[in-house]
């Protein structure tokens, strides 16, 4: 049963979740297009991963800046505009005749994604009144968009080739309409302003904890984007399957986030968020090892486990970041959803260059270590105090949302 805070805001959160899905189709679409760029344009691993870098790099730089701006001014108009920008860039990527132009429109899509997330996270926080479960549903929408991306891209591009990419603008048109409806339902400016004022009135910024959390998210980001970029090609090699086997693997990697994100919100309502995040990082280490080292169809099991480990902490990263920086909710959202997430794309060309020089398996092997490094960064963290004005009641830093005692650290 959802609590009263979640159920009373069900409609705006549902609309925002659906809009989030439409936007994050384009985060997943860039990686899903990589095999088609390799096959139709004969790009090498490094060149193909450069397209992912183009989308990620500007997104990484822009999101913290926009987060800082939304701390000062509510900008709800960014939601529909950024959705159209994200879709437009991907839609144009298949019809650009040169590699530099392809990089440019991929970067345009990255800017659109960057512009969406900080303000949307602020609006969702205001609508959810700090509920971990409600924020989990909001994040779920983005994860479903990621999961749908390889299927949508494959259906369009496998049928009509890269020149059919303008059809990929359809989710952006739907998403922009959903964003407008969500803003009307939640009264975004008032909600965002109320959340910001509540944070400023109720807490102190803990930059040290926020820095450690961001470092762990960077480790998670490199693993996730590295696998997103190359898993389709890798699974084809390891299983001997064709394009379908690679598309299925990417779909499974993304779809596991649907279960993982909701599970993360519910586990955080029973245990502390920090404990749940630590366990997720610890369990991701053997999961990634199995994905990289185990051959044959059994590899798909480790794709599922890796997906769960990477996604269980996803929405918890956002709420923890916001609660570590209660006076700078937009900045926290921009970093946890932006810089620290998309920065993993910077590592993709390095992975691609190593794959060109050695093998794809050798290039992916270092990803096994990164979740362990993230776990080490998370070890000293504590559960932040939640401002009473945001949650509607005081919550102790040692108590989860339900009021049950938090377990010992892993």
């Amino acid at each position: 049963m959802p609590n009263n805070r979640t159920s009373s805001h069900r409609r705006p959160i549902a609309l925002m979740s659906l809009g989030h899905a439409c936007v994050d189709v384009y985060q997943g679409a860039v990686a899903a297009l990589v095999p088609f760029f390799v096959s139709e344009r004969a790009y090498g691993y490094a060149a193909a991963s450069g397209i992912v870098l183009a989308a990620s790099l500007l997104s990484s730089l822009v999101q913290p800046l926009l987060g800082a701006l939304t701390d000062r001014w509510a900008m709800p108009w960014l939601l529909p505009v950024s959705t159209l920008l994200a879709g437009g860039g991907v839609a144009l990527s298949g019809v650009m005749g040169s590699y530099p132009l392809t990089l440019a429109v991929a970067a345009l899509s990255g800017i659109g994604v960057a512009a969406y997330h900080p303000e949307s996270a602020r609006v969702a926080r205001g609508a959810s009144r700090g509920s971990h479960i409600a924020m989990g549903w909001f994040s779920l929408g983005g994860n479903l968009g990621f999961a749908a991306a390889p299927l949508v891209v494959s259906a369009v591009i496998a049928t009509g080739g890269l020149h059919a990419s303008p059809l990929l603008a359809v989710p952006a048109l739907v998403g922009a309409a959903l964003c407008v409806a969500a803003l009307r339902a939640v009264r975004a400016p008032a909600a965002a302003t109320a959340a910001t004022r509540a944070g400023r009135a109720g807490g102190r910024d803990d930059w040290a904890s926020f820095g450690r959390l961001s470092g762990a998210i960077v480790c998670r980001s490199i693993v996730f984007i590295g696998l997103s970029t190359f898993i389709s090609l890798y699974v084809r090699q390891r299983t001997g399957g064709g394009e379908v086997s690679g598309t299925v693997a990417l779909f499974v990697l993304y779809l596991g986030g649907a279960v993982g994100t909701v599970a993360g919100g519910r586990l955080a309502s029973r245990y502390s968020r920090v404990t749940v995040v630590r366990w997720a990082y610890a369990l991701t280490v053997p999961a990634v090892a199995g994905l990289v080292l185990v051959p044959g169809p059994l590899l798909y099991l480790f794709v599922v486990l890796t997906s769960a480990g990477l996604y269980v902490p996803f929405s918890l990263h956002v709420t923890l970041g916001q609660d570590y920086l209660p006076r700078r909710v937009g900045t926290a959202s921009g970093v946890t959803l932006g810089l620290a997430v998309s920065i993993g794309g910077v590592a993709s060309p390095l992975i691609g260059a190593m794959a060109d020089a050695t093998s794809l398996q050798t290039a992916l092997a270092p990803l096994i270590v990164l979740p362990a490094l993230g776990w080490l960064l998370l070890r000293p963290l504590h559960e932040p105090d939640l401002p009473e004005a945001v949650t509607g009641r005081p919550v102790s830093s040692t108590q989860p949302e339900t009021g049950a005692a938090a377990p010992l650290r892993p």
Side-chain angles (χ1 to χ4, degrees):
M1 288 292 290
N3 59 36
N4 291 335
R5 290 182 292 132
T6 302
S7 60
S8 64
H9 298 275
R10 187 175 297 167
R11 182 171 181 270
I13 288 293
L15 288 169
M16 293 198 67
S17 180
L18 292 171
H20 195 184
C22 292
V23 173
D24 277 6
V25 162
Y26 299 109
Q27 277 195 318
V30 176
L33 283 166
V34 164
F36 297 99
F37 285 123
V38 170
S39 60
E40 290 194 30
R41 297 185 180 176
Y43 290 164
Y45 290 136
S49 59
I51 298 172
V52 178
L53 172 63
S56 301
L57 185 58
L58 278 179
S59 180
S60 299
L61 297 173
V62 168
Q63 286 197 69
L65 173 62
L66 289 171
L69 291 175
T70 60
D71 280 332
R72 296 179 63 86
W73 303 286
M75 295 188 286
W77 55 269
L78 272 178
L79 272 61
V81 171
S82 60
T83 302
L84 294 173
L85 197 62
V90 167
L92 291 172
S93 64
V95 296
M96 291 297 168
S98 70
Y99 184 70
L101 287 175
T102 302
L103 293 179
V105 294
L108 183 71
S109 179
I111 291 172
V113 171
Y116 174 84
H117 282 103
E119 182 69 4
S120 68
R122 281 169 46 82
V123 172
R125 178 184 173 91
S128 68
R129 296 182 184 174
S131 167
H132 308 325
I133 295 174
M135 287 299 290
W137 284 107
F138 168 68
S139 298
L140 170 65
N143 297 336
L144 289 176
F146 257 108
L151 301 182
V152 172
V153 168
S154 181
V156 172
I157 306 302
T159 302
L162 285 172
H163 288 292
S165 66
L167 293 175
L168 296 175
V170 172
L173 299 175
V174 175
L178 287 167
C179 287
V180 171
L183 291 172
R184 288 177 177 172
V186 79
R187 297 179 182 178
T193 301
T196 300
R197 288 176 179 170
R200 288 175 178 167
R204 201 171 45 170
D205 292 336
D206 183 354
W207 285 100
S209 295
F210 183 77
R212 285 183 170 274
L213 175 67
S214 298
I217 299 173
V218 168
C219 295
R220 183 252 183 211
S221 172
I222 295 172
V223 174
F224 180 74
I225 296 184
L227 292 177
S228 297
T229 304
F230 295 110
I231 194 170
S232 292
L233 297 169
Y234 184 66
V235 168
R236 291 184 202 178
Q237 294 178 5
R238 298 288 283 176
T239 64
E243 286 187 357
V244 172
S245 65
T247 299
V248 168
L250 187 59
F251 174 69
V252 170
L253 179 68
Y254 290 166
L255 186 63
V259 177
T261 300
V262 174
R266 296 203 174 272
L267 286 169
S269 296
R270 181 175 179 83
Y271 308 103
S272 78
R273 287 173 291 176
V274 172
T275 298
V276 173
V277 171
R278 285 198 200 104
W279 274 112
Y281 276 72
L283 295 174
T284 301
V285 177
V288 175
L291 192 159
V292 173
L293 301 175
V294 174
L298 187 60
L299 183 151
Y300 285 102
L301 171 62
F302 290 101
V303 175
V304 172
L305 295 175
T306 298
S307 179
L310 291 173
Y311 271 113
V312 161
F314 187 77
S315 66
L316 306 182
H317 289 151
V318 181
T319 59
L320 278 170
Q322 291 173 336
D323 291 333
Y324 283 134
L325 300 184
R327 296 173 181 267
R328 293 174 175 83
V329 171
T331 299
S333 301
V335 172
T336 55
L337 282 171
L339 176 64
V341 174
S342 55
I343 198 69
V346 176
S348 292
L350 300 177
I351 298 172
M354 187 183 297
D356 285 333
T358 56
S359 70
L360 196 49
Q361 184 180 38
T362 300
L364 294 177
L367 301 183
I368 299 170
V369 179
L370 289 172
L373 177 59
W375 179 83
L376 289 173
L377 289 169
L378 293 166
R379 281 290 293 168
L381 293 189
H382 60 87
E383 188 72 16
D385 292 322
L386 304 183
E388 182 176 356
V390 173
T391 62
R393 58 183 171 82
V395 180
S396 168
S397 62
T398 58
Q399 298 290 329
E401 189 174 348
T402 59
L408 294 175
R409 296 180 180 182

